Amino acid sequence: MPSLCLATLGTRGMSEIAEKKPAKPVVLTCAQPTGRLHLGNYLGAVLNWGRMQDDYDCYFGIVDQHAITVPHVPAQLRDNTYSCLAQYVACGLDPARSHLFAQSHVIGHTELAWILGCLCPLGQLERMTQFKDKAKKQQSVDAGLLFYPVLMAADILLYNAELVPVGDDQRQHLELARDLAEKFNHRYSETFKVPSPFISKVGSRIMSLQDPTAKMSKSDPNQSSTVYVTDRPEEIRKKLMSAVTDSGSEVRPGDDKPGVTNLLAILSACTGRDVPTLTAEFAGKGYGDFKKAVADAVVATLDPVRLRYDELIKDREALNAIFKAGAEKAQATAFRTLSKVNRKVGFVERPR
Ligand code: AMP
């Protein structure tokens, strides 16, 4: 290989070398456009994704192709996809620093999924816990539901993501993505980085306001258990003031106080103050004062998010522009991976 002679480079070449920074590790997070984000999603996940944007090359995919693996209403899917984007941006995911895109806008996810599917034993897919759970709830099961984890592997490997923030329910799927990356590399030569789960050092597990032994969830039938990022201040206050607390009146964390422990975790995450400090501050005060402080802190945290969301959701043009920019960047990466993969598999190069 010819060595690079600095003397022969003009000033442009010199400045390009000076500016070339080491590539940041790629992080990919995908979420289905299933509706509204709640306080647990925000404090436990999205807030951390926002904090990663300076240190990592972040791809945030809204995976609409996954959303059709279960029965859905098309108009609702479209609305939810816009709403999901608006919520992400309102929560701090920044289209100027990261790539926010819809999966169906990028050619490559399904193409790579097909190739990976041809390396994936059927039995491994049939053993997936989430497939078994979802299949049980349906009268007839489509192949798409079985193939879902292969599509997820393609989502990750298409961008050569090194780190993938995953909740517990997705760990098995990430394992499959790792297996498929290794299998492809072994069969065709080194191509994919083997992705690792990204475990955040900070991030709270937020529990239901009505049953603090269960995780806060959008599917909770009792909707006063769940605060949404788009809730109005009155709704937030109502839900927090009626949150279940524990016997006694002391504000402190403990196994015997799951309700208070959860509210302390929420207050701590919203104010950035640690639980021992907050416990000392509320010594001698009752649950009423404490809950009011939690409600104030949650309103202060979520109000800017809701205001930004209300603005964005009305502006389809702005949302389409974000999708367009995200898809262009994602597509460039996806095409690079796909052409490499196609060549290694033995496909004839597409005539130009
Ligand atoms: P889901 O709403 O289950 O699709 O989860 C989206 C992301 O939010 C995942 O990273 C979850 O781990 C996280 N998450 C969901 N519910 C909670 C919760 N109650 N507390 C903390 N994090 C949560």
Side-chain angles (χ1 to χ4, degrees):
M1 209 167 95
S3 64
L4 199 63
C5 171
L6 285 182
T8 60
L9 283 170
T11 41
R12 197 168 146 260
M14 294 281 277
S15 67
E16 270 169 12
I17 285 184
E19 278 166 21
K20 201 157 171 79
K21 295 185 193 133
K24 294 176 188 173
V26 174
V27 170
L28 176 121
T29 302
C30 287
Q32 286 195 40
T34 44
R36 294 191 294 166
L37 294 174
H38 56 68
L39 190 63
N41 297 136
Y42 180 66
L43 297 178
V46 186
L47 196 59
N48 285 323
W49 302 344
R51 289 178 183 137
M52 294 163 70
Q53 296 178 105
D54 287 329
D55 299 327
Y56 298 92
D57 189 13
C58 292
Y59 286 78
F60 299 115
I62 299 177
V63 287
D64 47 0
Q65 290 169 329
H66 284 278
I68 64 165
T69 55
V70 288
H72 74 286
V73 179
Q76 221 169 56
L77 174 60
R78 213 175 338 268
D79 283 349
N80 284 348
T81 303
Y82 279 116
S83 171
C84 184
L85 179 65
Q87 287 177 75
Y88 275 171
V89 175
C91 286
L93 304 190
D94 178 3
R97 285 183 291 160
S98 301
H99 323 299
L100 283 108
F101 65 96
Q103 185 185 28
S104 64
H105 290 172
V106 180
I107 299 165
H109 290 257
T110 49
E111 284 78 358
L112 183 57
W114 177 255
I115 293 168
L116 296 175
C118 294
L119 291 173
C120 184
L122 183 60
Q124 202 171 355
L125 296 180
E126 285 168 336
R127 283 193 297 276
M128 289 284 154
T129 318
Q130 211 178 82
F131 168 70
K132 289 195 279 187
D133 287 349
K134 287 188 180 172
K136 253 194 295 196
K137 293 179 193 147
Q138 293 182 33
Q139 277 191 328
S140 74
V141 177
D142 296 325
L145 188 64
L146 182 74
F147 209 66
Y148 174 119
V150 181
L151 182 56
M152 181 173 150
D155 300 336
I156 298 167
L157 302 185
L158 195 58
Y159 303 103
N160 245 321
E162 285 172 57
L163 295 167
V164 184
V166 279
D168 287 343
D169 54 341
Q170 293 293 340
R171 274 176 187 274
Q172 202 182 20
H173 293 165
L174 183 61
E175 255 330 296
L176 180 78
R178 291 169 56 84
D179 284 355
L180 292 175
E182 278 166 357
K183 230 173 182 175
F184 188 99
N185 290 348
H186 184 71
R187 181 161 313 171
Y188 296 110
S189 81
E190 198 64 26
T191 307
F192 294 117
K193 290 188 175 134
V194 179
S196 303
F198 182 88
I199 314 286
S200 169
K201 284 187 213 79
V202 284
S204 336
R205 191 172 146 91
I206 304 301
M207 310 308 279
S208 151
L209 298 180
Q210 293 301 316
D211 172 9
T213 59
K215 235 169 77 157
M216 183 176 282
S217 153
K218 60 179 165 270
S219 51
D220 197 317
N222 182 352
Q223 283 295 288
S224 47
S225 301
T226 308
V227 170
Y228 292 97
V229 298
T230 51
D231 277 350
R232 320 239 133 223
E234 328 65 90
E235 290 172 271
I236 296 175
R237 286 186 197 286
K238 197 166 156 209
K239 288 177 184 176
L240 282 159
M241 292 312 285
S242 61
V244 164
T245 35
D246 316 288
S247 54
S249 59
E250 212 186 335
V251 176
R252 61 160 173 82
D255 289 345
D256 57 332
K257 295 224 173 214
V260 173
T261 303
N262 186 35
L263 293 177
L264 277 168
I266 293 173
L267 185 58
S268 169
C270 288
T271 59
R273 303 169 70 207
D274 62 27
V275 171
T277 308
L278 294 169
T279 308
E281 194 176 301
F282 284 96
K285 295 187 186 157
Y287 284 161
D289 285 348
F290 172 55
K291 282 181 173 179
K292 188 172 170 307
V294 181
D296 287 344
V298 175
V299 168
T301 301
L302 294 186
D303 219 32
V305 173
R306 180 183 53 82
L307 291 171
R308 180 86 182 100
Y309 172 80
D310 284 350
E311 239 174 64
L312 270 171
I313 198 64
K314 287 187 286 210
D315 194 349
R316 282 266 161 120
E317 224 175 284
L319 294 174
N320 281 329
I322 296 172
F323 269 141
K324 184 164 186 276
E328 274 169 10
K329 178 68 213 317
Q331 189 64 76
T333 313
F335 273 149
R336 268 200 304 277
T337 307
L338 202 59
S339 74
K340 200 194 286 182
V341 166
N342 282 347
R343 185 167 36 81
K344 294 202 182 194
V345 166
F347 296 159
V348 169
E349 198 184 340
R350 183 176 294 173
R352 289 164 201 259

